[in-house]
Amino acid sequence: MPRHRTRGEASLEERVARLSAILEEQRRELDELRRILPHTDGSPSRRDLLRLAGAAVAGAAGSVALQAIPVSAANGGAMTLGQANDANATTDLHPTTATPASPLLHIDASAASNNAVALMVAGANNANAAVLQGSGTGSGLSASSNLGNAVSGQAGGGATSNGVAGTAGAGVTSYGIVGTAGAGLSSVGVVGNAGPGNASAGVVGNAGGALSSAGVVGAASVGYGVFGQAASGIDMIAGGNGRLAQVPFSLGGAGAPNMTPGAGVLEMLREDDGSIWASRALAGAPIGTFQAAWKRLNAVRVDALDGTGNPFVAARVLDTRNGTGSGAHVGPLLGGQSFDFGPFTGIPSDAVGLFGNLTAVASDGAGNPAPTFAIPGWLALTPGGVAAPVSNVNYGGPVNAVPNFFMVGFGTGSNAGKLRIQNGGNTKVHVLLDVFGILQ
């Protein structure tokens, strides 16, 4: 049976064939030189030149036998990685079971010009330019740069082209794109410059179905987690239904956030009791420090509390003549008496105050409504637990009732959701409290 060539023999024959081709080319060049050079005494003969060429080839062959030939390829040529390159085959780089090199593939452009691009991958139409995927605790892509961009993604002019697209998996804390900025004064983790397309985006992150998955996450210990800047457009926008969510910052009921906001920026925080706080600033600098540097944002609400948008229906929350209302007080307030009452039925727990009418009604000595006030006096309406010698209603004269508009906040602590009414006169008086809307 004929013996088949081994793989090593075939490879050796291929090398010998290549060397023979090189030698034949050298012979042709020597013949050309022999034809051109003048035949003078001392000039090399064709045999001498062939002898020199043969020695050079033999030396090269010996060098090949002694050491491996480094892989090299002409610009535009194919680089062979263990087997012949094929357009239908994927070129893979696999580390051995020994300790692999880190990084596995290193492209160093530090010695090139300042404008050099270390790696550029171009994709065809509707194709991915590059897919980088890491498993376990590794990273699909890790890039660092001193002054240039570690990763730069530029969207084309297509209607929906994306500079960088990151799709988070279904993991509980998976992320589409994670960019960690260095300690530089203006370093940025992820930068995406959108093209002029109608719906182009610099950075797009599609989150998975997990509750805490996120398309784009920016985490910063001191700087900015996510920063958006537009020359004339909108810095940041919430598409779809416009929802914005904020993780609770601190426990509610403790007042303003106990931290000083940054200089030159507007900061807004939501505490988990639903209160919204904005930084107080003058010419970019915070007014005060810690809690004093914040102000609470409240709204006057005159719509129905069920959110339907219908008008708020005025309600009488206190009537001492018949004991109506929350925390009912049956009978008139005595001269100099204070009365804390609330919380109020039908008022949301996150309300911070009420506005409406406070009315003083004349009473006789037995506590029954009277046609006139016996003597002049006043009523004060304040937050629960707060005593203040200021009047909201001054009563007296030949009338049986005196109303006045009020707007007042609730008390805090054990008096949360409560108001206080103080009778500053030296006579009995009935009190009515009608609510037209809430502060929330």
Side-chain angles (χ1 to χ4, degrees):
M1 293 180 62
R3 187 178 67 88
H4 294 285
R5 294 182 303 167
T6 64
R7 189 171 183 176
E9 291 174 342
S11 177
L12 181 60
E13 289 181 4
E14 290 175 359
R15 294 188 181 184
V16 170
R18 289 198 301 269
L19 290 175
S20 299
I22 293 173
L23 183 59
E24 179 62 23
E25 179 64 23
Q26 293 290 335
R27 186 190 63 78
R28 286 195 297 267
E29 291 182 6
L30 289 174
D31 285 339
E32 182 65 18
L33 289 174
R34 182 66 178 176
R35 184 181 62 82
I36 297 174
L37 290 175
H39 294 278
T40 58
D41 292 337
S43 63
S45 65
R46 184 174 183 275
R47 180 176 298 176
D48 292 333
L49 292 175
L50 286 174
R51 186 182 297 111
L52 291 174
V57 171
S63 176
V64 170
L66 292 175
Q67 63 183 12
I69 301 176
V71 176
S72 62
N75 187 21
M79 183 176 69
T80 302
L81 297 177
Q83 64 177 6
N85 221 346
D86 193 300
N88 295 321
T90 301
T91 300
D92 295 326
L93 293 175
H94 295 286
T96 63
T97 56
T99 302
S102 180
L104 188 61
L105 175 63
H106 183 201
I107 301 175
D108 189 352
S110 59
S113 64
N114 292 333
N115 296 324
V117 177
L119 174 64
M120 176 177 289
V121 182
N125 188 24
N126 296 326
N128 294 319
V131 176
L132 303 163
Q133 179 178 353
S135 61
T137 59
S139 299
L141 171 64
S142 177
S144 62
S145 177
N146 185 21
L147 295 176
N149 298 320
V151 177
S152 177
Q154 298 178 353
T160 58
S161 61
N162 303 315
V164 176
T167 303
V172 176
T173 57
S174 60
Y175 306 112
I177 297 174
V178 175
T180 303
L185 183 60
S186 60
S187 60
V188 181
V190 176
V191 174
N193 298 315
N198 186 36
S200 62
V203 176
V204 172
N206 298 315
L211 181 62
S212 59
S213 61
V216 177
V217 172
S221 58
V222 178
Y224 309 113
V226 177
F227 180 85
Q229 180 175 345
S232 59
I234 300 174
D235 292 342
M236 301 189 74
I237 188 171
N241 54 17
R243 296 175 62 181
L244 290 172
Q246 178 181 331
V247 177
F249 168 73
S250 63
L251 295 178
N258 194 25
M259 59 182 295
T260 303
V265 295
L266 167 68
E267 290 196 38
M268 298 187 69
L269 291 174
R270 172 193 175 274
E271 294 191 314
D272 62 1
D273 63 352
S275 60
I276 305 296
W277 299 83
S279 59
R280 302 169 63 238
L282 181 65
I287 300 176
T289 58
F290 295 99
Q291 291 182 300
W294 298 88
K295 64 179 178 181
R296 179 169 176 161
L297 302 183
N298 300 310
V300 174
R301 185 171 181 180
V302 294
D303 64 316
L305 301 180
D306 58 5
T308 58
N310 295 321
F312 184 91
V313 178
R316 178 159 290 177
V317 297
L318 180 65
D319 187 343
T320 62
R321 296 174 303 179
N322 54 24
T324 297
S326 303
H329 184 283
V330 180
L333 268 67
L334 305 179
Q337 181 183 0
S338 294
F339 169 51
D340 291 315
F341 64 106
F344 298 91
T345 302
I347 301 300
S349 59
D350 59 352
V352 295
L354 302 174
F355 63 92
N357 272 349
L358 174 66
T359 303
V361 179
S363 172
D364 60 18
N368 299 314
T372 60
F373 292 95
I375 58 176
W378 52 269
L379 294 177
L381 183 63
T382 59
V386 176
V390 294
S391 64
N392 292 87
V393 173
N394 296 312
Y395 58 80
V399 294
N400 68 342
V402 179
N404 197 20
F405 177 81
F406 75 88
M407 181 177 287
V408 63
F410 290 136
T412 58
S414 61
N415 290 301
K418 295 183 179 182
L419 299 178
R420 168 172 288 191
I421 294 180
Q422 178 181 354
N423 180 10
N426 194 22
T427 184
K428 294 180 180 180
V429 63
H430 284 288
V431 178
L432 310 179
L433 196 72
D434 299 316
V435 175
F436 300 158
I438 64 173
L439 302 175
Q440 196 174 22

